[in-house]
Amino acid sequence: MSEKAYEWLKNHSIETAYLLSTAEVLAWDQRTYMPKKGKAHRAEQMVLLTKLLHERSTDKRIGDNLSMVEGGELVADPLCTAAVNVREWQRDYDKSTRIPRKLAVNLARATSMGEMIWERARAENDWNALAPSIADIVDLMVEKADAIGYAQEPYDALIDEFEPGETASSLERVFGGLKPALVSLLDNVRETEITPDTSVLNRLFPVDSQARFCRHIVSMVGYDLDAGRIDVSAHPFSIGIGPGDARITTRYREKFFNASVFGSLHEAGHGMYEQGLPDEHWGTPRGKYASLGIHESQSRLWENMVGRSRGFWRHAYDRALLEFPSLNDVPIDKFHAAINAVKPSLIRVEADEITYNLHIMVRFELELGLLRREIAAADLPDAWNEKMKSYLGVDVPDVGSGVMQDVHWPSGLIGYFPTYTLGNLFAAQMFHKAQDELGDLEERFAAGDFASLRKWLREKVHEPGATYSPRDMISRITGSALDPTFFIEYAKDKYGELYGFA
Amino acid sequence: MSEKAYEWLKNHSIETAYLLSTAEVLAWDQRTYMPKKGKAHRAEQMVLLTKLLHERSTDKRIGDNLSMVEGGELVADPLCTAAVNVREWQRDYDKSTRIPRKLAVNLARATSMGEMIWERARAENDWNALAPSIADIVDLMVEKADAIGYAQEPYDALIDEFEPGETASSLERVFGGLKPALVSLLDNVRETEITPDTSVLNRLFPVDSQARFCRHIVSMVGYDLDAGRIDVSAHPFSIGIGPGDARITTRYREKFFNASVFGSLHEAGHGMYEQGLPDEHWGTPRGKYASLGIHESQSRLWENMVGRSRGFWRHAYDRALLEFPSLNDVPIDKFHAAINAVKPSLIRVEADEITYNLHIMVRFELELGLLRREIAAADLPDAWNEKMKSYLGVDVPDVGSGVMQDVHWPSGLIGYFPTYTLGNLFAAQMFHKAQDELGDLEERFAAGDFASLRKWLREKVHEPGATYSPRDMISRITGSALDPTFFIEYAKDKYGELYGFA
């Protein structure tokens, strides 16, 4: 009886996943090749798929079958495939059924409105046009959190959707240890006389050469182009469509080296995670990524810890010189210093490894303030600018390059930003352990060996899918609980050497 | 009551169309950009969508609601929107529900097997490997025809799916008038001393230039690239995804002018039909193409009657010379003769305007023979070769360039080929009428005016959607019943002048 119920749930899960992956093909197409006049039609296709997916995820038979399975022998071992799946199906079913239909509709409307207003208002630097939307969305998100339920405060219910197990206070503890260390590191950098010459990254890099070079390096690190693609999109992204099909995008700027190269490595990190998930469990939680933070750990690890390492470029710089004659007079050390330059700036997506996390802190603290009703939407720009000055030392000239730079809040993604910093912390802790087990990784990269690290990650991180909660996974892999010290030490070593304060 | 039923049917139809257009995005992706390892996953996505679509098309509520509407005031005028929709919904519902589930499954299995075997067997010139599949498919198609029902013979039920209203005997009548005229035209061509120098079409045509030139000419004739795209695929196709999104593909051969240029114009003809359908009726039969024959009339008209006309090249040849310096010593008349060269050959998709229809006759007669049990699958190659010799005068060296060249029969498309010739006949008859109403079209093309013809087609052919049966539409537009004489006269005039037998 319970086995039959489990089979029903599994089939239902896989069919739903096929439908969801169909929506993902449409999403990929929309952001890459869709003709511009096809926009309205695509929106209607998506509305239908969303409706079908919602019907499937709230199907009462899920609850009936779950109750026949739970507590039974099939799930006695909490780490067996069936138990993992049942645990996650229950989580999803609870969330889907607890949110009243009317609230879901209101949220969909408010966030789609929010995105539209954001697009115009950002271009016009007009916070007043967006503030009412943000206020509405915050109200609805609190309502949503109340409907889902939480232990301590509404924010907990929201972050849990992206990072199972995290809460506002667990994040405050982690980030509390990280922030002063980053601010102090940034002070160290500011106090040195060393200023890398980043102008070498603004020379001519023909788009065709960039495209060839990006294909070369993502293959080199192990992203399988026969099970994926690189295309161009305004905002780079990665998307896992299914077994054998995990795509990435990038963008090319003729006079900026970093955008395509490190963007591609970042997305390839995501793509290799998707390509490394166990195909035989596809369509069930056991075969799905563990969390957004773990996903981001893979992209940041390949982008920064690998892609911005000296070892990587000892292997890849000759090829870069072939593609980009404009770098011919730039010695590798000068190049390496340039791609690792630390410089406080206004825009998160352009930030270096140290200041990036301070950008996230600003957002985390502000969204927490919004949910706790300590900050009003109307006052966000002032609060933003103050924190940017205090943590990063920069003056924000306008809301477009300040509080309105990201689409997250207008699209209802509150509780999402912290996963970026968790990703950095997970990555540093994993990388440290991999180094322990595999020996000197820099030397491996210099010798063109990226496979050892990729295999290590595949076994430890990719293969288990969503078996463990993110924090459990980190503890199991590294033997210690999540600890920002690994990231801090990594950054001290790397930037201490580069900026001469080690 | 009947209005409510009609609204239900309309919503059901539109939702089904959104789901179908989702499958079309997947089909487009599969044939253009999908990574090769994503094949198995894509097949599973398609299986799910097919299942969902089948459930929707056999939903008993369709029958219930149809019975509430039919015969009522809403559909009193047989040409009003509601009547057209109800008529077609009934047709579709009858077909979907009359085919037993088991037969549908067997057909799906046999044809997907057939395609797989065909791919290997064709490469190996091995008819014996494919013959049993063809025999199975013929048996199943007869079973299907019996299930659907027909007036005279099984073939009628099959052709009706692609070309509503046609039957084996109606086609025999039309083709019977056409065949001797074509054979005699071909004799005329053979008897002249004139042999166009087609080697000029095998010079160097760089792929980038071809791509630019194809974009130029499809825009020039009125295909809207903001509501479509041109991509590359192994087998060119067009696909209407929805309002604002009708895409085409082509393929480039560096040393052959015709493949991309006339292929693009052909597909752009299909694309302009999709772009010209009435958006406000999208998702219902009133907003859908009338038949495959009418669809093909649009592609053949733009490919041949426009694209191979002297007027077209009087306007476009300067631009061609700019893109293709290899044509610089080729006068326009020599070029025009080359692109219109008549030469009996083995392969349908490479055939000229006169022999093309003879290729279709061969197929039509053979599939009719199969369905009438006059020919056994095992004997097809001999029958094929004999007809090719008799109508076209060519010797078929192997089955790969003979009976196995097309995938249609192995994929279960029996009754489909005649729509290609119907398309040519519809096109000639339409073109003749347009010429009557718009004046000298050659002169318009030479002056760069393609909009007049496109608007004429949009009003007469595209806007009505599936309001009329194909033959009714032709009668209404041209004032005379379908008549192959229009095509025969068109071909006599054109080739008589080119080959000097006028």
Side-chain angles (χ1 to χ4, degrees):
Chain A
M1 187 61 182
S2 96
E3 266 170 40
K4 219 177 133 191
Y6 181 76
E7 278 310 305
W8 186 93
L9 288 162
K10 190 175 152 190
N11 286 335
H12 187 80
S13 177
I14 292 172
E15 270 204 9
T16 305
Y18 279 124
L19 202 57
L20 191 61
S21 85
T22 293
E24 275 159 359
V25 177
L26 267 60
W28 174 84
D29 180 74
Q30 184 170 348
R31 295 163 78 178
T32 51
Y33 294 117
M34 187 183 78
K36 64 180 178 188
K37 291 186 184 168
K39 212 169 163 179
H41 180 70
R42 181 57 43 88
E44 291 300 323
Q45 289 178 298
M46 285 300 205
V47 166
L48 175 68
L49 289 175
T50 306
K51 186 187 141 191
L52 294 177
L53 283 164
H54 182 260
E55 282 168 13
R56 291 190 66 88
S57 68
T58 53
D59 189 321
K60 284 203 183 349
R61 290 171 297 178
I62 300 176
D64 299 343
N65 282 294
L66 279 171
S67 64
M68 284 189 258
V69 176
E70 272 165 343
E73 236 177 87
L74 208 60
V75 298
D77 170 5
L79 293 179
C80 75
T81 296
V84 169
N85 286 336
V86 167
R87 181 192 80 210
E88 294 298 315
W89 288 331
Q90 186 71 61
R91 252 175 68 88
D92 292 345
Y93 183 65
D94 287 348
K95 277 207 181 114
S96 305
T97 49
R98 281 178 192 165
I99 299 168
R101 191 162 174 74
K102 202 186 149 194
L103 175 57
V105 171
N106 287 343
L107 257 171
R109 192 176 297 130
T111 54
S112 106
M113 191 89 104
E115 282 182 35
M116 281 192 325
I117 295 173
W118 172 80
E119 202 150 325
R120 263 174 294 151
R122 185 180 62 153
E124 293 163 13
N125 273 310
D126 182 4
W127 177 254
N128 292 335
L130 185 63
S133 276
I134 298 294
D136 276 355
I137 289 170
V138 169
D139 288 348
L140 290 165
M141 294 307 274
V142 171
E143 219 183 300
K144 179 180 168 179
D146 288 340
I148 295 174
Y150 47 81
Q152 298 240 313
E153 55 181 304
Y155 194 83
D156 300 348
L158 305 183
I159 175 80
D160 188 74
E161 199 163 333
F162 309 114
E163 206 62 26
E166 283 319 316
T167 62
S169 66
S170 73
L171 286 171
E172 284 183 310
R173 268 194 304 281
V174 174
F175 289 5
L178 183 61
K179 193 167 68 180
L182 292 176
V183 170
S184 132
L185 262 171
L186 193 52
D187 283 342
N188 290 337
V189 169
R190 277 209 194 86
E191 284 156 14
T192 68
E193 300 287 294
I194 297 170
T195 318
D197 174 11
T198 55
S199 75
V200 300
L201 304 171
N202 298 114
R203 293 180 176 179
L204 180 70
F205 303 100
V207 167
D208 282 357
S209 308
Q210 287 191 50
R212 230 176 0 248
F213 188 67
C214 286
R215 291 182 70 82
H216 172 73
I217 57 173
V218 300
S219 298
M220 184 180 88
V221 298
Y223 172 71
D224 182 354
L225 281 164
D226 286 337
R229 309 182 36 84
I230 311 188
D231 297 277
V232 173
S233 66
H235 303 281
F237 64 95
S238 80
I239 193 160
I241 289 170
D245 197 350
R247 308 180 187 187
I248 64 177
T249 69
T250 191
R251 57 182 161 187
Y252 302 104
R253 284 164 58 186
E254 199 176 54
K255 294 222 156 177
F256 189 39
F257 182 85
N258 294 12
S260 72
V261 172
F262 296 106
S264 295
L265 285 170
H266 180 98
E267 302 305 338
H270 284 304
M272 285 190 279
Y273 186 11
E274 292 288 331
Q275 291 179 342
L277 291 170
D279 287 354
E280 67 274 25
H281 294 296
W282 188 85
T284 68
R286 176 64 185 79
K288 207 188 157 185
Y289 64 88
S291 73
L292 290 187
I294 297 293
H295 226 309
E296 190 74 3
S297 76
Q298 301 306 288
S299 58
R300 300 289 286 180
L301 186 148
W302 287 100
E303 174 192 358
N304 291 324
M305 284 151 200
V306 181
R308 284 188 162 91
S309 72
R310 191 177 267 110
F312 181 95
W313 290 102
R314 277 164 61 200
H315 181 68
Y317 201 54
D318 281 350
R319 173 70 183 245
L321 294 179
L322 274 180
E323 290 289 359
F324 310 116
S326 61
L327 289 176
N328 271 335
D329 64 338
V330 183
I332 188 168
D333 282 341
K334 190 176 173 184
F335 170 81
H336 181 246
I339 60 170
N340 283 292
V342 174
K343 192 163 189 276
S345 68
L346 293 165
I347 306 297
R348 173 182 64 86
V349 297
E350 295 169 3
D352 57 80
E353 283 185 276
I354 294 180
T355 59
Y356 188 92
N357 296 303
L358 293 170
H359 284 272
I360 300 303
M361 309 276 173
V362 170
R363 288 157 178 77
F364 170 62
E365 293 171 12
L366 292 178
E367 59 187 17
L368 206 49
L370 286 169
L371 271 276
R372 288 176 180 169
R373 308 295 197 184
E374 295 164 358
I375 304 174
D379 302 330
L380 266 184
D382 286 345
W384 178 282
N385 297 353
E386 198 184 301
K387 282 183 194 290
M388 286 299 287
K389 184 72 183 176
S390 148
Y391 305 161
L392 285 148
V394 296
D395 294 304
V396 179
D398 50 49
V399 284
S401 52
V403 66
M404 280 172 92
Q405 68 185 260
D406 291 310
V407 72
H408 296 60
W409 293 339
S411 20
L413 294 174
I414 297 180
Y416 187 110
F417 281 119
T419 67
Y420 292 135
T421 284
L422 286 172
N424 286 324
L425 303 184
F426 292 147
Q429 194 158 338
M430 287 173 191
F431 195 75
H432 183 267
K433 184 66 177 182
Q435 181 110 301
D436 267 2
E437 296 188 2
L438 300 172
D440 194 339
L441 287 173
E442 288 269 347
E443 287 306 316
R444 285 188 184 269
F445 302 159
D449 171 14
F450 302 95
S452 302
L453 177 59
R454 194 180 69 253
K455 279 183 195 149
W456 189 90
L457 290 168
R458 181 162 287 200
E459 184 198 325
K460 310 279 182 182
V461 184
H462 308 175
E463 282 288 345
T467 299
Y468 312 109
S469 78
R471 291 221 186 194
D472 276 358
M473 184 188 256
I474 276 294
S475 299
R476 281 176 175 265
I477 296 173
T478 68
S480 38
L482 174 66
D483 183 349
T485 310
F486 291 97
F487 182 82
I488 296 165
E489 289 302 318
Y490 157 80
K492 266 190 190 158
D493 284 354
K494 178 170 178 179
Y495 293 97
E497 191 220 313
L498 280 163
Y499 284 89
F501 60 81
Chain B
M1 188 60 181
S2 99
E3 266 170 39
K4 221 177 132 191
Y6 181 76
E7 277 311 304
W8 186 92
L9 288 162
K10 189 174 153 191
N11 286 336
H12 187 81
S13 176
I14 292 172
E15 270 202 11
T16 305
Y18 278 124
L19 202 58
L20 191 61
S21 85
T22 293
E24 275 158 359
V25 177
L26 266 60
W28 174 84
D29 181 75
Q30 183 170 347
R31 296 164 77 177
T32 52
Y33 295 118
M34 187 183 76
K36 64 180 178 188
K37 290 186 184 170
K39 210 169 164 180
H41 180 69
R42 180 57 43 87
E44 291 299 324
Q45 288 178 296
M46 285 301 204
V47 166
L48 175 67
L49 288 176
T50 306
K51 186 186 142 191
L52 294 177
L53 283 164
H54 182 261
E55 281 168 14
R56 292 190 65 89
S57 68
T58 53
D59 189 322
K60 284 203 185 346
R61 290 172 297 178
I62 299 176
D64 299 343
N65 282 294
L66 279 171
S67 64
M68 283 189 259
V69 176
E70 272 165 342
E73 235 176 272
L74 208 59
V75 298
D77 170 4
L79 292 178
C80 76
T81 297
V84 169
N85 286 335
V86 167
R87 179 191 81 209
E88 293 299 315
W89 289 331
Q90 186 71 60
R91 252 174 69 89
D92 292 345
Y93 183 66
D94 286 348
K95 278 208 179 111
S96 306
T97 50
R98 281 177 192 167
I99 299 168
R101 191 165 175 71
K102 204 184 148 196
L103 174 58
V105 171
N106 288 344
L107 257 170
R109 193 177 297 128
T111 54
S112 106
M113 192 89 105
E115 284 181 34
M116 282 190 326
I117 294 172
W118 171 79
E119 202 150 325
R120 263 175 295 150
R122 186 181 60 152
E124 292 163 14
N125 272 312
D126 182 5
W127 177 253
N128 291 336
L130 185 63
S133 275
I134 298 295
D136 276 355
I137 289 170
V138 169
D139 288 349
L140 290 165
M141 293 308 274
V142 171
E143 219 182 298
K144 180 180 166 178
D146 287 341
I148 294 175
Y150 47 81
Q152 297 242 315
E153 56 180 303
Y155 195 83
D156 300 348
L158 305 184
I159 173 79
D160 187 74
E161 200 164 333
F162 309 114
E163 206 61 27
E166 281 323 313
T167 63
S169 67
S170 72
L171 287 171
E172 284 183 311
R173 267 193 304 279
V174 174
F175 289 6
L178 184 60
K179 194 167 67 179
L182 292 176
V183 170
S184 132
L185 263 171
L186 194 52
D187 283 341
N188 291 338
V189 169
R190 279 209 194 85
E191 285 156 14
T192 69
E193 300 286 294
I194 297 170
T195 316
D197 174 11
T198 55
S199 75
V200 299
L201 304 172
N202 297 114
R203 294 181 176 180
L204 180 70
F205 303 101
V207 167
D208 282 357
S209 308
Q210 287 191 49
R212 233 181 352 251
F213 188 66
C214 287
R215 291 181 70 81
H216 172 73
I217 56 173
V218 300
S219 297
M220 186 179 86
V221 298
Y223 173 71
D224 182 354
L225 281 163
D226 286 336
R229 308 181 39 82
I230 310 188
D231 297 277
V232 172
S233 66
H235 302 282
F237 65 96
S238 79
I239 192 161
I241 288 169
D245 197 349
R247 308 180 188 188
I248 64 177
T249 69
T250 190
R251 56 182 163 187
Y252 302 105
R253 285 164 60 186
E254 200 177 55
K255 295 222 158 176
F256 189 40
F257 183 84
N258 294 12
S260 72
V261 171
F262 296 106
S264 294
L265 285 171
H266 180 97
E267 302 306 338
H270 283 304
M272 285 188 281
Y273 186 11
E274 292 288 332
Q275 290 180 343
L277 291 170
D279 287 355
E280 67 274 25
H281 293 296
W282 189 85
T284 67
R286 176 64 185 78
K288 208 186 156 188
Y289 63 88
S291 73
L292 290 188
I294 297 292
H295 226 309
E296 191 73 4
S297 76
Q298 300 306 288
S299 57
R300 299 290 285 181
L301 186 148
W302 287 99
E303 175 193 357
N304 291 326
M305 285 151 200
V306 181
R308 284 187 162 92
S309 71
R310 192 177 266 111
F312 181 95
W313 291 102
R314 276 163 62 200
H315 182 68
Y317 201 55
D318 280 350
R319 173 70 181 245
L321 294 179
L322 273 179
E323 291 289 359
F324 310 115
S326 61
L327 289 176
N328 271 334
D329 65 338
V330 183
I332 188 167
D333 281 342
K334 189 176 176 186
F335 170 81
H336 181 247
I339 59 170
N340 283 292
V342 174
K343 193 163 190 277
S345 68
L346 294 165
I347 306 296
R348 173 183 62 86
V349 297
E350 294 168 4
D352 57 79
E353 283 183 275
I354 293 180
T355 59
Y356 188 92
N357 296 304
L358 292 170
H359 284 271
I360 300 303
M361 310 274 172
V362 170
R363 289 157 178 77
F364 169 62
E365 293 170 12
L366 292 177
E367 58 186 19
L368 206 50
L370 286 169
L371 270 276
R372 287 178 179 167
R373 307 296 194 183
E374 295 164 359
I375 304 175
D379 303 330
L380 265 184
D382 286 345
W384 178 282
N385 298 353
E386 198 184 300
K387 283 183 193 290
M388 286 298 287
K389 183 74 183 175
S390 147
Y391 306 163
L392 285 148
V394 297
D395 293 303
V396 180
D398 50 48
V399 284
S401 50
V403 66
M404 281 171 94
Q405 68 185 263
D406 290 310
V407 73
H408 297 60
W409 294 338
S411 14
L413 294 174
I414 297 180
Y416 187 109
F417 281 120
T419 67
Y420 292 136
T421 283
L422 286 173
N424 286 326
L425 303 185
F426 292 148
Q429 195 160 337
M430 287 174 192
F431 195 75
H432 183 267
K433 184 67 178 179
Q435 182 111 300
D436 267 1
E437 295 188 2
L438 299 172
D440 193 339
L441 287 173
E442 289 268 346
E443 286 306 316
R444 285 187 184 269
F445 302 159
D449 171 14
F450 302 95
S452 303
L453 177 59
R454 192 179 70 253
K455 278 182 197 150
W456 190 90
L457 291 167
R458 180 161 287 200
E459 186 198 323
K460 309 279 181 183
V461 183
H462 308 174
E463 282 289 344
T467 299
Y468 312 109
S469 79
R471 292 222 186 193
D472 277 356
M473 185 189 257
I474 277 294
S475 299
R476 281 177 175 263
I477 296 174
T478 67
S480 39
L482 174 65
D483 183 349
T485 310
F486 292 97
F487 182 83
I488 296 165
E489 288 303 317
Y490 157 80
K492 267 190 190 157
D493 284 352
K494 178 170 178 177
Y495 293 97
E497 191 220 311
L498 281 163
Y499 284 89
F501 60 82

